[in-house]
Structure formats: C-alpha cells, structure tokens
Amino acid sequence: MNDVSGGCLDPGILRAAAEGGAAIVLGHLRGEPATMMEGIAFTDVVAEVGAELAQRVAAARAAGCREIWGDPGIGFGKRAEHSLALLRALPAVEARAGVPLLLGVSRKSFIGHITGRPADERIFGTAAAVAAVVLRGAAAVRVHDVRAMRDVVLVASALRVANAPKDA
C-alpha cells in the first residue's frame, strides 16, 4: 500500500495494511494535497522530514505493520530547494526514519526548476535524479519511464560500492 500522507489523512490505512499483511509506503506530507504548497516552512528540512517519517513509522508499527518503507515526499509540500536538500542528505533521512526509502523523483518539479523543461521533457533530468538516489542508497524508486529507468537503476546499482559510507 502507498499513502502519501503516511497515514495522517486516513489513520485506518495503517490498520488495513497490518490486517492485510501488506507492505506500506509512508509518504511525508504536511497538510492536505489540495493545500500542501501553501505556507511551506522548514527550519531544517532533513531533520524535520526524518523525524516526522519516524513518527509515522512508529504509528505503523503500533498498528501492526511489519514491512514499512519511507518516502520523504519529494515535491509534496516542498519547494525545489527542500527537495534538493533531502536528496543530497538521503542517508541522513533514512537513518532518522529508520526504514528503507522509496523515492519518487520522476518528472518532478525540482527537475523542471533546474532544467526549465516541462514534465513530459524531463526524462534526462529524471535519469540523473534516479542515478543519484540509487547511488545515495535509495532502496527503490517510483518512475514513469520504466524501461529506460530500469537501465539507469541497473547501471547505478552496479556502480554503487558495496559497504561504502552512504554519505561519501
């Protein structure tokens, strides 16, 4: 199961995942999807997102969920600079959350902010972002262009040095 709000908008999803024995991906989101881009404020986006994900992980565990993944919610209530800070500090986010991370960077607005390209022309920016997050330790990625991004993941995974520090 995948919940962009980490179980905040519908706490029953955690119980449903637990009762069904489903893995759950807990996304980070402050507020609601309709208003998430209003009043964005972080003092330390990495620490705050990591801590808030950890709280959602604790709630999922308390509900009985066994397989839990975190998603820092790239672009969900975050400006480009927040998304970039999270991606640069991915190992720290994972350490704070305490679970493997699944990243959705495909065609995101931060790529458009950097390249100036519309969403349907962001395949190369997406490839760069996917390679970067795999090299930084992401356990999984969510993408649009599956065939092309599969190759990116395979190559980036082969280049990732086993047992290397994730922040090196």
Side-chain angles (χ1 to χ4, degrees):
M1 298 175 83
N2 182 50
D3 183 12
V4 297
S5 78
C8 289
L9 296 178
D10 180 4
I13 197 167
L14 301 178
R15 187 179 62 256
E19 289 173 0
I24 188 160
V25 178
L26 304 170
H28 178 272
L29 173 68
R30 287 181 176 171
E32 297 186 14
T35 59
M36 69 184 177
M37 300 309 287
E38 299 171 9
I40 299 169
F42 291 98
T43 301
D44 180 339
V45 68
V46 173
E48 292 171 46
V49 169
E52 290 167 24
L53 275 176
Q55 291 171 350
R56 301 317 307 150
V57 168
R61 286 190 175 128
C65 294
R66 292 205 167 109
E67 185 179 349
I68 305 168
W69 295 65
D71 177 349
I74 301 303
F76 280 74
K78 295 159 191 86
R79 291 189 295 271
E81 63 267 24
H82 298 130
S83 292
L84 290 168
L86 289 165
L87 295 173
R88 288 180 189 124
L90 203 54
V93 176
E94 181 181 30
R96 284 182 169 91
V99 292
L101 297 181
L102 178 146
L103 274 287
V105 294
S106 186
R107 302 182 188 173
K108 291 288 178 135
S109 61
F110 81 90
I111 297 170
H113 179 78
I114 295 166
T115 65
R117 299 205 179 272
D120 63 344
E121 294 180 15
R122 296 180 188 160
I123 190 165
F124 293 113
T126 294
V130 167
V133 300
V134 168
L135 290 169
R136 301 291 291 161
V141 291
R142 181 171 39 267
V143 298
H144 294 91
D145 305 289
V146 175
R147 185 174 182 188
M149 294 308 122
R150 177 183 180 274
D151 291 351
V152 172
V153 169
L154 288 172
V155 173
S157 296
L159 291 172
R160 187 168 51 196
V161 178
N163 301 319
K166 292 181 181 177
D167 60 354

